[in-house]
Amino acid sequence: MTNKIIHPPIDQNMLEFKLPSAVVKRFENGLTLIHFHRSDIPKVYFRLGILGGEKMDFSEAAGSVDLMSGMMKKGTKTRTYHEFAEAVDYTGGSLGASASRDFFYGQGGFLSEFAGDGLGLMADMFRNPVFPEEQLVRDRDRSIADLENEKSSSGYIGRKFMTQQLYSPHPYGLSATAETLSSVTAETLSKLHARTIGPKNAFLVITGDIVFEKAAQLAEDMFGDWEEQQGASMDFPKLQYAPDVLLVDRPGSVQSSVSFGVPLFSRTDERYIRTRLCNQILGGGSSGRLFLTLREEKGLTYGAYSSMDVYLEAGGWISSAEVRGEATGEAIDGFMDEFDKIRSEEVSADELKSAKRYIAGAFPMRCETPAGMANLFLLQSLYGFPENYWNNYLDEIESVTAADVLQSATEFLRDDKMQIVVVGDAATVLPQLGRYQDIRVVDVDGNEKQAG
């Protein structure tokens, strides 16, 4: 079989994307309003972002932030859960809250005539949640059940342990357990909300069929008297990274999950774009080298991929696949061979061109709508990117050379920095790990076991 690289079709006009100009207003309580006008459809979109996110679990039981984010519209001081849902339905709009590693998010979209109602509902959700006990029990029990279900997936287990290996003791490495979730109470969530949710370090994007004057007035009406959050410590423990070979024993498992991780930089690092292109070539999809070698050529897996997780304070580069237990050693050799190849010589011009076209071509499609552009403005503000960051983004991609890609590969995909996690039946897997001398063995709950 010939591994032919297929170039995605791209209209040249897509590559000339520019964000519209925005008007920015900062309120006395710390909230920053970002507005741009789009009148092509009669809708208004809201995006709210606050620094914090899942890493704030460091001061609470792991899983608290996700429970809090999911419950913020399930009962407020002014509306029950059903009343809140009915109010959103009445407008024909959508509204939600979520959290990532570094940020809290609110997102909503409403017809222009309901812009005030929609922003009022978002304000109620963020300012006045009450975390009703009955709903907390439901959400908490559902989260615990989801954890139990996920334990049946070797890929999920591998990802959890790899995250711990890359980031601990920083809270990026935290994972919720049944025990931590069971300890979360309504009081836990109320205190967490008071410390973390407020106008300080918050950005509100309003866009669509609404003029700036009206957007600013709505923001003033709904958030102008919002009091600053009490403040939570952002002084987290530093990463204590040490390469390791970890075998997570799942007796009787017919499959193994193999994953490889190396530490990376933060999302704001200047090496991000060239390393992202390197990742795309290595394992960013079905045209990546890992997929073509381990699946198409060797038939060891249904898919082998790599991805970059880059946050405000750190990042990681993870490659993984699920394979037959008896093929674990061969799969590991396949991964290591591909790492060696991509850091030994420059990628071909065709591979680099294909990777650029994929990443550059996907970008404008992310922001064709006002909602997509609002997301870009919000990320630009939360990460502190320069004003012209997204307008220069496609040019930055195009300027990357094969030598730049090689530099990322040699700088980060190093054997002496490689974290390896294998999840599988130790009796089957251990004899296949002869290339490694020091292998740590644990059960699926992380308890140490005797190797062999």
Side-chain angles (χ1 to χ4, degrees):
M1 175 182 289
T2 301
N3 294 328
K4 182 179 179 181
I5 296 175
I6 301 174
H7 299 300
I10 298 176
D11 185 334
Q12 185 61 34
N13 291 331
M14 295 171 61
L15 303 183
E16 297 173 358
F17 167 82
K18 297 294 181 185
L19 271 179
S21 298
V23 182
V24 178
K25 178 178 179 179
R26 185 175 175 84
F27 293 91
E28 291 184 2
N29 60 7
L31 176 71
T32 298
L33 169 66
I34 301 162
H35 170 269
F36 65 97
H37 187 216
R38 283 282 299 268
S39 59
D40 43 347
I41 49 178
K43 290 194 70 173
V44 176
Y45 301 90
F46 307 117
R47 294 292 184 268
L48 179 65
I50 305 172
L51 295 178
E54 293 170 351
K55 64 188 177 187
M56 307 313 296
D57 272 343
F58 182 67
S59 59
E60 301 292 348
S64 298
V65 166
D66 275 343
L67 280 173
M68 181 188 74
S69 300
M71 286 192 64
M72 287 204 303
K73 67 175 182 179
K74 295 183 177 180
T76 71
K77 294 175 183 177
T78 63
R79 298 176 176 91
T80 66
Y81 180 17
H82 295 298
E83 289 171 342
F84 193 95
E86 287 175 356
V88 176
D89 289 343
Y90 175 78
T91 67
S94 62
L95 189 62
S98 60
S100 67
R101 287 280 200 245
D102 294 301
F103 312 121
F104 298 104
Y105 293 110
Q107 51 278 329
F110 298 85
L111 292 172
S112 304
E113 62 184 293
F114 294 113
D117 299 291
L119 192 60
L121 287 164
M122 176 177 278
D124 195 23
M125 177 174 67
F126 271 84
R127 298 182 61 173
N128 304 314
V130 294
F131 310 110
E133 185 67 31
E134 182 179 355
Q135 188 60 48
L136 171 59
V137 171
R138 290 197 191 97
D139 286 16
R140 190 174 55 201
D141 289 349
R142 186 181 302 114
S143 295
I144 292 172
D146 288 344
L147 283 181
E148 291 303 312
N149 290 334
E150 287 167 339
K151 284 184 179 180
S152 64
S153 166
S154 58
Y156 166 79
I157 296 171
R159 188 78 180 190
K160 182 186 76 171
F161 277 97
M162 178 59 75
T163 299
Q164 293 174 356
Q165 296 289 98
L166 285 173
Y167 301 116
S168 294
H170 190 282
Y172 288 157
L174 288 174
S175 297
T177 66
E179 291 72 24
T180 61
L181 289 170
S182 296
S183 70
V184 177
T185 65
E187 183 180 8
T188 302
L189 301 185
S190 294
K191 289 182 177 179
L192 179 61
H193 178 271
R195 284 198 300 273
T196 60
I197 303 296
K200 185 179 180 181
N201 297 319
F203 300 88
L204 174 65
V205 182
I206 301 180
T207 182
D209 187 22
I210 184 171
V211 297
F212 171 74
E213 291 76 15
K214 184 174 180 180
Q217 187 60 59
L218 286 177
E220 176 70 45
D221 293 343
M222 306 303 176
F223 293 104
D225 62 348
W226 194 13
E227 294 183 1
E228 285 190 11
Q229 56 267 53
Q230 295 173 6
S233 173
M234 302 285 268
D235 185 19
F236 303 117
K238 303 301 181 185
L239 278 67
Q240 297 177 3
Y241 184 81
D244 194 13
V245 180
L246 179 69
L247 172 58
V248 183
D249 186 21
R250 292 184 75 210
S253 177
V254 297
Q255 278 196 323
S256 295
S257 168
V258 294
S259 54
F260 307 80
V262 291
L264 281 182
F265 38 74
S266 73
R267 175 61 181 85
T268 57
D269 195 283
E270 61 181 8
R271 296 168 291 182
Y272 170 77
I273 290 178
R274 65 170 163 88
T275 307
R276 188 177 175 196
L277 282 162
C278 185
N279 172 73
Q280 184 65 31
I281 294 167
L282 175 67
S286 58
S287 62
R289 292 182 177 187
L290 294 176
F291 189 98
L292 294 175
T293 298
L294 275 80
R295 173 179 164 141
E296 299 296 322
E297 181 181 325
K298 299 181 180 293
L300 297 175
T301 177
Y302 285 112
Y305 307 97
S306 62
S307 62
M308 292 166 56
D309 297 326
V310 282
Y311 310 121
L312 266 179
E313 298 170 51
W317 193 352
I318 301 174
S319 305
S320 63
E322 294 188 44
V323 302
R324 303 185 312 278
E326 63 271 18
T328 304
E330 186 181 358
I332 291 174
D333 291 342
F335 273 98
M336 300 304 286
D337 287 346
E338 290 305 320
F339 297 151
D340 186 56
K341 289 175 185 177
I342 201 167
R343 67 187 177 217
S344 297
E345 60 182 11
E346 292 185 0
V347 300
S348 70
D350 202 34
E351 283 180 301
L352 181 57
K353 180 179 180 181
S354 181
K356 287 181 178 181
R357 288 171 67 89
Y358 179 86
I359 296 174
F363 173 71
M365 290 185 286
R366 286 176 49 198
C367 41
E368 287 181 316
T369 65
M373 292 183 187
N375 290 335
L376 294 185
F377 274 112
L378 185 59
L379 290 175
Q380 178 175 297
S381 300
L382 289 168
Y383 282 113
F385 291 146
E387 186 176 344
N388 61 353
Y389 181 82
W390 296 118
N391 287 340
N392 293 337
Y393 186 69
L394 296 177
D395 290 336
E396 292 287 338
I397 292 171
E398 185 58 33
S399 69
V400 173
T401 66
D404 294 329
V405 171
L406 180 61
Q407 184 177 358
S408 282
T410 56
E411 186 174 359
F412 299 111
L413 291 174
R414 294 168 44 183
D415 290 345
D416 63 343
K417 292 290 186 180
M418 192 71 68
Q419 196 75 242
I420 301 171
V421 175
V422 181
V423 182
D425 185 341
T428 301
V429 172
L430 262 176
Q432 302 178 61
L433 303 181
R435 67 156 70 207
Y436 304 109
Q437 294 183 345
D438 298 318
I439 302 171
R440 193 160 57 91
V441 183
V442 300
D443 63 21
V444 293
D445 295 315
N447 302 307
E448 297 282 345
K449 298 183 68 173
Q450 186 68 36

Coordinates of all heavy atoms in Angstrom, one line a residue, residues 384-418:
G384 N -3.6 36.3 27.5 CA -2.8 37.5 27.4 C -2.0 37.6 26.1 O -0.9 38.2 26.1
F385 N -2.6 37.1 25.1 CA -1.9 37.2 23.8 C -1.9 38.6 23.3 O -2.8 39.4 23.6 CB -2.6 36.3 22.7 CG -2.5 34.8 22.9 CD1 -3.6 34.0 22.6 CD2 -1.4 34.3 23.4 CE1 -3.5 32.6 22.7 CE2 -1.3 32.9 23.6 CZ -2.3 32.1 23.2
P386 N -0.9 39.0 22.5 CA -1.0 40.4 21.9 C -2.2 40.6 21.0 O -2.8 39.6 20.5 CB 0.4 40.4 21.1 CG 0.8 39.0 20.9 CD 0.3 38.3 22.1
E387 N -2.5 41.8 20.8 CA -3.7 42.1 20.0 C -3.8 41.5 18.6 O -4.8 41.2 18.1 CB -3.9 43.7 20.0 CG -5.2 44.1 19.4 CD -5.3 45.7 19.4 OE1 -4.6 46.3 20.2 OE2 -6.2 46.2 18.7
N388 N -2.6 41.4 18.0 CA -2.6 40.9 16.6 C -2.3 39.4 16.6 O -2.0 38.9 15.5 CB -1.5 41.7 15.8 CG -0.1 41.5 16.4 OD1 0.1 40.9 17.5 ND2 0.9 42.0 15.7
Y389 N -2.4 38.7 17.7 CA -2.0 37.3 17.7 C -2.8 36.5 16.6 O -2.1 35.8 15.8 CB -2.3 36.7 19.1 CG -1.9 35.2 19.2 CD1 -0.6 34.9 19.4 CD2 -2.8 34.2 19.0 CE1 -0.2 33.6 19.5 CE2 -2.4 32.9 19.1 CZ -1.1 32.6 19.3 OH -0.7 31.2 19.4
W390 N -4.1 36.5 16.6 CA -4.8 35.7 15.7 C -4.6 36.2 14.2 O -4.7 35.3 13.3 CB -6.3 35.6 16.0 CG -6.5 35.0 17.4 CD1 -7.1 35.6 18.5 CD2 -6.2 33.6 17.7 NE1 -7.2 34.7 19.5 CE2 -6.6 33.5 19.1 CE3 -5.7 32.6 17.1 CZ2 -6.5 32.3 19.8 CZ3 -5.5 31.4 17.8 CH2 -5.9 31.2 19.1
N391 N -4.5 37.4 14.0 CA -4.3 37.9 12.7 C -2.9 37.5 12.1 O -2.8 37.4 10.9 CB -4.4 39.5 12.7 CG -5.8 40.0 12.8 OD1 -6.7 39.2 12.6 ND2 -6.0 41.2 13.2
N392 N -2.0 37.2 13.0 CA -0.6 36.8 12.5 C -0.5 35.2 12.5 O 0.5 34.7 12.1 CB 0.5 37.4 13.4 CG 0.6 38.8 13.2 OD1 0.2 39.4 12.2 ND2 1.2 39.5 14.2
Y393 N -1.5 34.6 13.0 CA -1.5 33.1 13.3 C -1.2 32.3 12.1 O -0.3 31.5 12.0 CB -2.8 32.7 13.9 CG -2.9 31.3 14.4 CD1 -2.1 30.8 15.5 CD2 -3.7 30.3 13.8 CE1 -2.2 29.5 15.9 CE2 -3.8 29.0 14.2 CZ -3.0 28.6 15.3 OH -3.1 27.3 15.7
L394 N -1.9 32.6 11.0 CA -1.7 31.8 9.7 C -0.3 32.1 9.1 O 0.3 31.2 8.6 CB -2.8 32.1 8.7 CG -4.2 31.8 9.2 CD1 -5.2 32.2 8.2 CD2 -4.3 30.3 9.4
D395 N 0.2 33.3 9.2 CA 1.5 33.7 8.7 C 2.6 32.9 9.5 O 3.6 32.5 9.0 CB 1.7 35.2 8.8 CG 0.9 35.9 7.8 OD1 0.5 35.3 6.8 OD2 0.6 37.1 8.0
E396 N 2.3 32.8 10.8 CA 3.3 32.1 11.7 C 3.3 30.6 11.3 O 4.4 30.0 11.3 CB 2.9 32.2 13.2 CG 3.0 33.6 13.7 CD 4.4 34.0 14.0 OE1 5.3 33.1 14.1 OE2 4.7 35.2 14.0
I397 N 2.2 30.0 11.0 CA 2.2 28.6 10.6 C 3.0 28.5 9.3 O 3.8 27.6 9.1 CB 0.7 28.2 10.4 CG1 0.0 28.1 11.7 CG2 0.7 26.8 9.7 CD1 -1.5 27.8 11.6
E398 N 2.7 29.4 8.3 CA 3.4 29.3 7.0 C 4.9 29.5 7.1 O 5.6 28.9 6.3 CB 2.8 30.3 6.1 CG 3.3 30.3 4.6 CD 3.0 28.9 4.0 OE1 2.0 28.2 4.3 OE2 3.9 28.5 3.2
S399 N 5.4 30.2 8.1 CA 6.8 30.5 8.2 C 7.6 29.4 8.8 O 8.8 29.4 8.8 CB 7.0 31.8 9.0 OG 6.7 31.5 10.4
V400 N 6.9 28.3 9.3 CA 7.7 27.2 10.0 C 8.4 26.4 8.9 O 7.8 26.1 7.8 CB 6.7 26.3 10.8 CG1 7.4 25.1 11.3 CG2 6.1 27.1 11.9
T401 N 9.6 26.1 9.2 CA 10.4 25.3 8.2 C 10.6 23.9 8.7 O 10.3 23.5 9.9 CB 11.8 25.9 8.1 OG1 12.5 25.8 9.3 CG2 11.7 27.4 7.7
A402 N 11.1 23.0 7.9 CA 11.4 21.6 8.3 C 12.5 21.6 9.4 O 12.5 20.8 10.3 CB 11.9 20.8 7.1
A403 N 13.4 22.6 9.3 CA 14.4 22.7 10.4 C 13.8 23.0 11.7 O 14.2 22.5 12.8 CB 15.5 23.7 10.0
D404 N 12.7 23.9 11.7 CA 12.0 24.2 12.9 C 11.3 23.0 13.5 O 11.3 22.8 14.8 CB 11.0 25.3 12.7 CG 11.5 26.6 12.3 OD1 12.7 26.9 12.7 OD2 10.9 27.3 11.5
V405 N 10.7 22.2 12.7 CA 10.0 20.9 13.1 C 11.1 20.0 13.7 O 10.8 19.4 14.8 CB 9.3 20.3 11.9 CG1 8.8 18.9 12.3 CG2 8.2 21.1 11.5
L406 N 12.2 19.8 13.1 CA 13.3 19.0 13.6 C 13.7 19.5 15.0 O 14.0 18.7 15.9 CB 14.4 18.9 12.6 CG 15.6 18.0 13.1 CD1 15.2 16.6 13.2 CD2 16.8 18.2 12.0
Q407 N 13.8 20.8 15.1 CA 14.3 21.4 16.4 C 13.3 21.0 17.5 O 13.7 20.6 18.6 CB 14.4 22.9 16.3 CG 14.9 23.6 17.5 CD 15.1 25.1 17.4 OE1 14.8 25.6 16.3 NE2 15.5 25.7 18.4
S408 N 12.0 21.0 17.3 CA 11.0 20.7 18.3 C 11.1 19.2 18.6 O 11.1 18.8 19.8 CB 9.6 21.0 17.8 OG 9.3 22.3 18.0
A409 N 11.3 18.3 17.6 CA 11.4 16.9 17.9 C 12.6 16.6 18.7 O 12.6 15.8 19.6 CB 11.5 16.2 16.5
T410 N 13.8 17.2 18.4 CA 15.0 16.9 19.1 C 15.0 17.5 20.5 O 15.6 17.0 21.4 CB 16.2 17.4 18.3 OG1 16.1 18.8 18.0 CG2 16.4 16.6 17.0
E411 N 14.3 18.6 20.6 CA 14.3 19.3 21.9 C 13.4 18.6 22.9 O 13.7 18.6 24.1 CB 13.8 20.7 21.7 CG 13.8 21.6 22.9 CD 13.5 23.1 22.6 OE1 13.2 23.4 21.5 OE2 13.4 23.9 23.6
F412 N 12.3 18.0 22.4 CA 11.3 17.5 23.4 C 11.1 15.9 23.3 O 10.9 15.3 24.4 CB 9.9 18.1 23.1 CG 9.9 19.6 23.3 CD1 9.8 20.4 22.2 CD2 10.1 20.1 24.6 CE1 9.8 21.8 22.4 CE2 10.2 21.5 24.8 CZ 10.0 22.4 23.7
L413 N 11.2 15.3 22.2 CA 11.0 13.9 22.1 C 12.3 13.1 22.4 O 12.8 12.3 21.6 CB 10.5 13.5 20.7 CG 9.1 14.0 20.4 CD1 8.7 13.6 18.9 CD2 8.0 13.3 21.3
R414 N 12.7 13.3 23.6 CA 14.0 12.7 24.1 C 13.8 11.5 25.0 O 12.9 11.5 25.8 CB 14.8 13.8 24.9 CG 15.2 14.9 24.0 CD 15.8 16.1 24.9 NE 16.6 15.6 26.0 CZ 17.2 16.4 26.9 NH1 16.9 17.8 26.8 NH2 17.9 16.0 27.8
D415 N 14.6 10.5 24.7 CA 14.4 9.2 25.5 C 14.6 9.5 27.0 O 14.0 8.9 27.9 CB 15.5 8.2 25.1 CG 15.1 7.6 23.7 OD1 14.0 7.8 23.3 OD2 16.0 7.0 23.1
D416 N 15.5 10.4 27.4 CA 15.8 10.7 28.8 C 14.7 11.6 29.4 O 14.8 11.8 30.6 CB 17.2 11.3 29.0 CG 17.3 12.7 28.3 OD1 16.4 13.0 27.4 OD2 18.2 13.5 28.6
K417 N 13.8 12.0 28.7 CA 12.6 12.7 29.2 C 11.3 12.0 29.1 O 10.3 12.5 29.5 CB 12.5 14.1 28.5 CG 13.6 15.1 28.7 CD 13.5 15.6 30.1 CE 14.6 16.7 30.3 NZ 14.5 17.2 31.7
M418 N 11.4 10.8 28.5 CA 10.2 10.0 28.2 C 9.5 9.4 29.4 O 10.1 8.6 30.1 CB 10.5 9.0 27.1 CG 9.3 8.4 26.4 SD 8.4 9.5 25.3 CE 9.6 9.7 24.0

